[in-house]
Amino acid sequence: MNKRIAIAVAAAAALAGCGGASWVDPTTGTFSAQDSADVMNMVSGAFGAVARQPAQNPVQGSKALSQSSIVACAVSGNVTVTSSVNANCNASGSACTFNGNVEIDLNTCTTQNLIGTGGLNASVNGSETTTGNVTAFTVTEHVQGGITVKRASDQSIVGTCGIFLDATVTSDGTTETVHVTGSICKQAVAQ
């Protein structure tokens, strides 16, 4: 999988979530819409940084999909991403399918406004096809979990932010489309 697809997969993972019937949102405290947006940026920025590390050839070459990485957060702290994704490609590498799991652990990940600590679980599956210089793909992501959030200004606890999202990213090789639904800190997310 090329670097562009790895970035799309990572972005979807940062935005996505699932759960099933047993999901119980762990959100406690009062989160504003801005707080929820900051949490989204915290997670997506860190996970996207992992995907931007050099990726080579089919899916197995993407650091975001095939190994553990540690990425610095905007102000301080870090995010550890541990993944186990299986890929099956044809002999020429022009068509691949993949699926697996990703764990995202925020370790006092600090942005300008918030500090996040905790873990998220994600599952990923999809396919890609390369024809000439054009790579088309579809990626479906499911992410859920909860992180403890504090204010960066005074270390006061905001609460636990539940993250429960579904995302699909598709590309025809020219245009990428992202569809996201779910919630962050009980704030609805829909794109």
Side-chain angles (χ1 to χ4, degrees):
M1 174 165 58
N2 66 29
K3 189 187 302 186
R4 188 170 145 201
I5 295 171
I7 291 169
V9 169
L15 298 173
C18 120
S22 64
W23 168 255
V24 176
D25 191 332
T27 300
T28 61
T30 303
F31 289 86
S32 68
Q34 182 59 53
D35 291 338
S36 296
D38 286 349
V39 169
M40 173 75 90
N41 289 334
M42 180 186 302
V43 176
S44 64
F47 201 89
V50 172
R52 285 188 288 277
Q53 294 180 20
Q56 309 294 323
N57 295 327
V59 174
Q60 297 92 334
S62 169
K63 287 185 176 237
L65 294 176
S66 63
Q67 67 185 31
S68 296
S69 297
I70 297 175
V71 178
C73 294
V75 174
S76 66
N78 63 56
V79 175
T80 304
V81 178
T82 307
S83 53
S84 174
V85 175
N86 299 310
N88 293 307
C89 299
N90 65 9
S92 67
S94 62
C96 298
T97 60
F98 52 91
N99 64 67
N101 298 299
V102 178
E103 183 178 318
I104 307 165
D105 291 308
L106 286 80
N107 308 301
T108 35
C109 183
T110 306
T111 65
Q112 293 297 323
N113 301 312
L114 301 175
I115 301 169
T117 303
L120 303 172
N121 296 307
S123 62
V124 57
N125 66 73
S127 63
E128 68 178 25
T129 306
T130 302
T131 306
N133 292 330
V134 178
T135 300
F137 62 88
T138 299
V139 178
T140 301
E141 290 284 343
H142 306 287
V143 176
Q144 70 180 39
I147 61 172
T148 301
V149 178
K150 295 180 181 179
R151 299 242 175 257
S153 59
D154 63 4
Q155 305 290 309
S156 63
I157 294 176
V158 179
T160 298
C161 175
I163 298 172
F164 181 84
L165 302 166
D166 288 320
T168 301
V169 180
T170 59
S171 173
D172 61 6
T174 305
T175 304
E176 293 178 13
T177 304
V178 179
H179 178 73
V180 181
T181 60
S183 65
I184 294 180
C185 313
K186 291 194 176 180
Q187 301 282 331
V189 173
Q191 292 183 345

